[in-house]
Amino acid sequence: MKQIKIHDKSFGISISSESIQDRVSIIAQQLNKEYAEDTPLFIVVLNGAFVFAADLFKRLTIECEISFVKISSYQGMESTGILNELIGLSENIHCRKIVIIEDIIDSGNTIEKMINELIKEKPAEVKVATMLFKPEAFKKTYSIDYIGFEIPNDFVVGYGLDYDGLGRNLPDIYKTI
Ligand code: IMP
Ligand code: MG
């Protein structure tokens, strides 16, 4: 198994780049179908989701817009639960169809905060597309509309996800071993 070291931790491959790309294509097809008659606004949660967003966006054939926001609840390997405000959204989202693009949904704190901030502006709807979802860690009742892969409660890096700043550039997804 391909192994890498980041800071003090060893990681082994969890999801290959090929599997990720196949899955992204399927999600793009679903979005192209669902939003064929609309001009949705994709809201990308920085930093981690930028890689997934770029791969997904290139495969969208519908008319659509994209915007990037920042919100953070994570430091190192454990969710701190500390949440910052939503920054960077300049578009008027009133009556718009919104799709939030996330890298990973863990406890669900970040996505819940995002949704709560967005619905204040009365969009037509808010859906969520995430590359990774940890069902065992998820503490919310909100349903996630598009999921790349459900994964166990491991800490993962790569494909936009970092461990204390490193690993975002890896094309595959790795987990701690
Ligand atoms: P949540 O608020 O607990 O759902 O955490 C969401 C955020 O924590 C994600 O957007 C990531 O930035 C970060 N995160 C959660 N799990 C991992 C992981 O396994 N590796 C790297 N970052 C993670
Ligand atoms: Mg994130």
Side-chain angles (χ1 to χ4, degrees), residues 24-40 42 56 59-64 97 99 125 127 146:
V24 173
S25 295
I26 291 167
I27 295 173
Q29 280 169 23
Q30 292 171 341
L31 292 168
N32 285 329
K33 206 171 156 198
E34 174 157 353
Y35 295 99
E37 308 300 322
D38 308 300
T39 306
F42 290 87
L56 190 65
R59 292 175 169 96
L60 296 178
T61 52
I62 49 169
E63 189 180 272
C64 57
K97 288 195 177 182
V99 184
E125 67 175 34
K127 293 203 173 182
Y146 299 94

Coordinates of all heavy atoms in Angstrom, one line a residue, residues 24-40 42 56 59-64 97 99 125 127 146:
V24 N -17.0 12.0 -9.3 CA -17.3 13.4 -9.6 C -18.1 13.5 -10.9 O -19.1 14.3 -11.0 CB -16.0 14.2 -9.7 CG1 -16.3 15.7 -10.2 CG2 -15.3 14.3 -8.4
S25 N -17.8 12.7 -11.9 CA -18.5 12.7 -13.2 C -20.0 12.3 -12.9 O -20.9 12.9 -13.5 CB -17.9 11.7 -14.1 OG -16.6 12.1 -14.5
I26 N -20.2 11.4 -12.1 CA -21.6 10.9 -11.8 C -22.4 12.1 -11.1 O -23.5 12.4 -11.5 CB -21.6 9.6 -11.0 CG1 -21.1 8.5 -11.8 CG2 -23.0 9.3 -10.4 CD1 -20.8 7.2 -11.1
I27 N -21.8 12.7 -10.1 CA -22.4 13.8 -9.4 C -22.7 15.0 -10.4 O -23.8 15.5 -10.4 CB -21.6 14.3 -8.2 CG1 -21.5 13.2 -7.2 CG2 -22.2 15.6 -7.6 CD1 -20.6 13.5 -6.0
A28 N -21.8 15.2 -11.3 CA -22.0 16.3 -12.3 C -23.1 16.0 -13.2 O -24.0 16.8 -13.5 CB -20.7 16.5 -13.2
Q29 N -23.3 14.7 -13.6 CA -24.4 14.3 -14.5 C -25.7 14.5 -13.7 O -26.7 15.0 -14.3 CB -24.3 12.8 -14.8 CG -23.3 12.4 -15.9 CD -23.1 10.9 -16.0 OE1 -23.9 10.1 -15.6 NE2 -22.0 10.6 -16.6
Q30 N -25.7 14.2 -12.4 CA -27.0 14.4 -11.6 C -27.3 15.8 -11.6 O -28.5 16.2 -11.7 CB -26.8 13.8 -10.2 CG -26.7 12.3 -10.2 CD -26.2 11.7 -8.9 OE1 -25.7 12.4 -8.0 NE2 -26.5 10.4 -8.6
L31 N -26.3 16.7 -11.4 CA -26.6 18.1 -11.3 C -27.0 18.7 -12.6 O -27.9 19.5 -12.7 CB -25.3 18.9 -10.8 CG -24.9 18.6 -9.3 CD1 -23.5 19.1 -9.0 CD2 -25.9 19.2 -8.3
N32 N -26.4 18.2 -13.7 CA -26.8 18.7 -15.0 C -28.2 18.4 -15.3 O -28.9 19.2 -15.9 CB -25.9 18.1 -16.1 CG -24.5 18.7 -16.1 OD1 -24.3 19.8 -15.8 ND2 -23.5 17.9 -16.5
K33 N -28.7 17.2 -14.8 CA -30.1 16.8 -15.0 C -31.0 17.6 -14.1 O -32.0 18.2 -14.6 CB -30.2 15.3 -14.6 CG -31.3 14.6 -15.3 CD -31.2 13.1 -15.1 CE -32.5 12.5 -15.2 NZ -32.6 11.2 -14.6
E34 N -30.7 17.7 -12.8 CA -31.5 18.4 -11.8 C -31.7 19.9 -12.1 O -32.8 20.5 -12.0 CB -31.0 18.2 -10.4 CG -31.9 19.0 -9.4 CD -31.9 18.5 -8.0 OE1 -31.3 17.5 -7.7 OE2 -32.4 19.3 -7.2
Y35 N -30.6 20.5 -12.6 CA -30.6 22.0 -12.8 C -30.7 22.4 -14.2 O -30.3 23.5 -14.6 CB -29.5 22.6 -12.0 CG -29.6 22.5 -10.5 CD1 -28.9 21.5 -9.9 CD2 -30.4 23.3 -9.8 CE1 -29.0 21.3 -8.5 CE2 -30.5 23.1 -8.4 CZ -29.8 22.1 -7.8 OH -29.9 21.9 -6.4
A36 N -31.2 21.5 -15.1 CA -31.2 21.8 -16.5 C -32.0 23.0 -16.9 O -31.6 23.7 -17.8 CB -31.8 20.6 -17.3
E37 N -33.0 23.3 -16.1 CA -33.9 24.5 -16.4 C -33.5 25.7 -15.5 O -34.3 26.7 -15.6 CB -35.3 24.1 -16.1 CG -35.8 22.8 -16.8 CD -35.7 22.9 -18.3 OE1 -36.0 24.0 -18.9 OE2 -35.3 21.9 -18.9
D38 N -32.5 25.6 -14.7 CA -32.2 26.7 -13.7 C -30.8 27.3 -14.0 O -30.1 26.8 -14.8 CB -32.2 26.2 -12.3 CG -33.5 25.5 -12.0 OD1 -34.6 26.1 -12.1 OD2 -33.5 24.3 -11.7
T39 N -30.5 28.4 -13.3 CA -29.2 28.9 -13.2 C -28.7 28.9 -11.8 O -28.8 29.9 -11.1 CB -29.1 30.3 -13.8 OG1 -29.7 30.3 -15.1 CG2 -27.7 30.8 -13.9
P40 N -28.3 27.7 -11.3 CA -28.0 27.7 -9.8 C -26.7 28.4 -9.5 O -25.9 28.7 -10.4 CB -27.8 26.2 -9.6 CG -27.4 25.6 -10.9 CD -28.1 26.4 -11.9
F42 N -23.5 28.0 -7.2 CA -22.7 27.0 -6.4 C -21.8 27.9 -5.5 O -21.1 28.8 -5.9 CB -21.8 26.2 -7.3 CG -22.5 25.2 -8.1 CD1 -23.1 25.5 -9.4 CD2 -22.8 23.9 -7.6 CE1 -23.8 24.6 -10.1 CE2 -23.5 23.0 -8.3 CZ -24.1 23.4 -9.6
L56 N -15.6 19.3 -10.4 CA -17.1 19.3 -10.7 C -17.5 20.3 -11.7 O -18.2 20.0 -12.6 CB -17.8 19.5 -9.3 CG -19.3 19.2 -9.3 CD1 -19.6 17.8 -9.5 CD2 -19.8 19.7 -7.9
R59 N -17.2 19.9 -15.4 CA -18.1 18.9 -16.0 C -19.6 19.3 -16.0 O -20.4 18.6 -16.5 CB -18.0 17.6 -15.2 CG -16.7 16.9 -15.3 CD -16.6 15.7 -14.4 NE -15.5 14.8 -14.6 CZ -14.4 14.9 -13.9 NH1 -14.2 15.8 -13.0 NH2 -13.4 14.0 -14.2
L60 N -19.8 20.6 -15.6 CA -21.2 21.1 -15.6 C -21.4 21.7 -17.0 O -20.6 22.5 -17.5 CB -21.4 22.1 -14.5 CG -21.3 21.5 -13.1 CD1 -21.6 22.7 -12.1 CD2 -22.3 20.4 -12.8
T61 N -22.6 21.3 -17.6 CA -22.9 21.8 -18.9 C -24.1 22.8 -18.8 O -24.5 23.4 -19.8 CB -23.3 20.6 -19.8 OG1 -24.3 19.8 -19.2 CG2 -22.1 19.8 -20.1
I62 N -24.6 22.9 -17.7 CA -25.8 23.9 -17.4 C -25.3 25.3 -17.3 O -24.1 25.5 -17.1 CB -26.5 23.5 -16.1 CG1 -25.6 23.3 -15.0 CG2 -27.4 22.2 -16.4 CD1 -26.2 23.1 -13.6
E63 N -26.2 26.2 -17.4 CA -25.9 27.6 -17.0 C -25.8 27.7 -15.5 O -26.7 27.4 -14.8 CB -27.0 28.5 -17.6 CG -26.7 30.0 -17.5 CD -27.9 30.8 -18.1 OE1 -27.9 31.0 -19.3 OE2 -28.8 31.1 -17.3
C64 N -24.7 28.2 -15.0 CA -24.5 28.3 -13.6 C -23.4 29.3 -13.2 O -22.6 29.7 -14.0 CB -24.1 26.9 -13.0 SG -22.6 26.2 -13.7
K97 N -31.5 29.3 -6.6 CA -31.2 28.0 -6.2 C -29.8 27.8 -5.9 O -28.9 28.1 -6.7 CB -31.7 27.0 -7.3 CG -33.2 26.9 -7.4 CD -33.6 25.7 -8.3 CE -35.1 25.6 -8.3 NZ -35.6 24.4 -9.1
V99 N -26.4 25.6 -4.4 CA -25.8 24.3 -4.1 C -24.5 24.6 -3.4 O -23.6 25.2 -3.9 CB -25.5 23.5 -5.3 CG1 -25.0 22.1 -4.9 CG2 -26.8 23.3 -6.2
E125 N -33.9 27.7 -2.7 CA -33.6 26.4 -2.0 C -32.1 26.3 -1.8 O -31.3 27.0 -2.5 CB -34.1 25.2 -2.9 CG -33.3 25.0 -4.2 CD -33.7 23.7 -4.9 OE1 -34.9 23.3 -4.9 OE2 -32.8 23.2 -5.6
K127 N -29.2 23.3 -1.5 CA -28.9 21.9 -1.4 C -27.4 21.8 -1.2 O -26.6 22.8 -1.3 CB -29.2 21.2 -2.7 CG -30.8 21.1 -2.9 CD -31.2 20.0 -3.8 CE -32.7 19.9 -3.7 NZ -33.2 18.8 -4.6
Y146 N -26.1 15.4 -2.2 CA -25.1 14.7 -3.1 C -23.9 14.4 -2.3 O -23.2 15.3 -1.7 CB -24.7 15.6 -4.2 CG -25.9 16.0 -5.1 CD1 -26.6 17.2 -4.9 CD2 -26.3 15.2 -6.1 CE1 -27.7 17.6 -5.6 CE2 -27.4 15.5 -6.9 CZ -28.1 16.7 -6.7 OH -29.2 17.1 -7.4

